[in-house]
Amino acid sequence: MELPKDRESIRALVDDEYFDHRTIPALEAHLMTQIQTNTYDFKANKALLKLYQYFPEMTHQPMVLRACLISLMNLPSSDYAALVYLMPERSMKSEPVSDLLRAVDCFERANFADFWESLSQSETLSEYLTAIPDFKPKLRKMVLTMVARTFQSAPRDELAKILGIEDGRLDDFAAKEGKGVVLKIEGDRVLFAKNEFNQIRTKKFKENVDFESVLKVLGNPLA
């Protein structure tokens, strides 16, 4: 089968030949194109993993890993969870896919420092990440946004840990990726810009019971 060269052809291929194993090479090539061009096509990647389910002997573990990695760059969408659900069991148990699953488990539990450490401990996984240069910056920006929605400020050394960067790089990162999120850095603390989530909200109480109703309940002691 001739490989389609444009996204529209891929979409037609997915719609028309969904269960044809001959589409696997085309979808794999399309996945590599996404990585090289910093684009994203969840529907095509989902179709690829679905075909791996039907034809396990044609499964390529590196492609499973790549599909999951670029889906993480689109959090908080449920794309990653959907791909993991389709992932062949043998893929889940083999490295470096298993390394990624453990790392993402840390991320989902907001153990961000452990997440970055888990990524760095897997040499094979690190090699794949070098081919996706936007992966770490995008996830760091997500983490920064989540922290800023929870706190008004944070110790700079702790923030550097959960962002997976050295303390000395924090100022440059905040200036480049923290626009609209980081207000300023004062000494050993990072101050975040105000947003609707990190401000104290004053509770407003509204009286819905009038005086006459209370009198009726009390049996009108003033009568």
Side-chain angles (χ1 to χ4, degrees):
M1 177 178 289
E2 185 178 353
L3 299 184
K5 295 182 179 180
D6 58 78
R7 185 164 181 158
E8 293 301 323
S9 297
I10 286 290
R11 186 56 53 87
L13 189 67
V14 170
D15 293 339
D16 299 336
E17 308 289 344
Y18 197 81
F19 300 104
D20 190 342
H21 70 280
R22 294 177 299 171
T23 64
I24 289 179
L27 293 173
E28 290 176 337
H30 182 53
L31 175 55
M32 293 303 298
T33 299
Q34 293 171 58
I35 292 174
Q36 295 164 2
T37 59
N38 194 25
T39 54
Y40 185 58
D41 189 346
F42 170 67
K43 186 174 182 179
N45 299 340
K46 180 182 176 182
L48 176 60
L49 265 66
K50 194 72 175 177
L51 285 167
Y52 284 160
Q53 275 193 329
Y54 297 143
F55 307 100
E57 71 282 359
M58 299 185 70
T59 300
H60 292 156
Q61 308 294 357
M63 293 300 175
V64 174
L65 179 63
R66 291 182 179 109
C68 288
L69 285 173
I70 63 174
S71 71
L72 285 170
M73 296 166 63
N74 288 272
L75 289 172
S77 75
S78 60
D79 294 359
Y80 170 79
L83 293 184
V84 171
Y85 179 79
L86 295 172
M87 190 181 295
E89 185 176 357
R90 69 172 183 171
S91 295
M92 300 179 71
K93 294 180 178 180
S94 64
E95 297 180 354
V97 174
S98 59
D99 297 329
L100 177 64
L101 295 176
R102 284 192 295 270
V104 176
D105 181 63
C106 295
F107 189 94
E108 292 175 335
R109 290 185 286 110
N111 293 334
F112 301 122
D114 292 341
F115 167 72
W116 297 114
E117 184 177 358
S118 296
L119 290 183
S120 63
Q121 286 178 345
S122 173
E123 293 185 7
T124 307
L125 186 54
S126 297
E127 291 177 3
Y128 280 93
L129 289 175
T130 57
I132 313 175
D134 287 339
F135 179 86
K136 290 183 178 180
K138 278 198 173 183
L139 265 68
R140 284 178 178 135
K141 193 167 185 177
M142 291 179 200
V143 172
L144 179 64
T145 301
M146 284 188 277
V147 173
R149 288 187 172 190
T150 308
F151 303 100
Q152 296 180 351
S153 67
R156 64 172 295 147
D157 58 338
E158 291 297 325
L159 184 61
K161 287 180 183 179
I162 65 177
L163 291 176
I165 58 178
E166 297 176 358
D167 185 274
R169 295 177 51 205
L170 184 60
D171 294 85
D172 290 339
F173 177 82
K176 183 179 179 180
E177 303 292 345
K179 294 179 180 178
V181 179
V182 175
L183 183 62
K184 58 182 175 179
I185 298 179
E186 287 187 345
D188 61 352
R189 294 200 71 82
V190 179
L191 307 182
F192 301 118
K194 292 182 179 180
N195 59 68
E196 60 178 315
F197 302 102
N198 68 3
Q199 299 301 300
I200 297 175
R201 299 182 181 182
T202 303
K203 291 185 177 181
K204 296 182 180 180
F205 297 93
K206 182 180 180 180
E207 288 287 352
N208 292 318
V209 181
D210 56 41
F211 184 66
E212 287 75 13
S213 298
V214 174
L215 289 178
K216 290 179 181 180
V217 174
L218 294 177
N220 198 357
L222 298 179

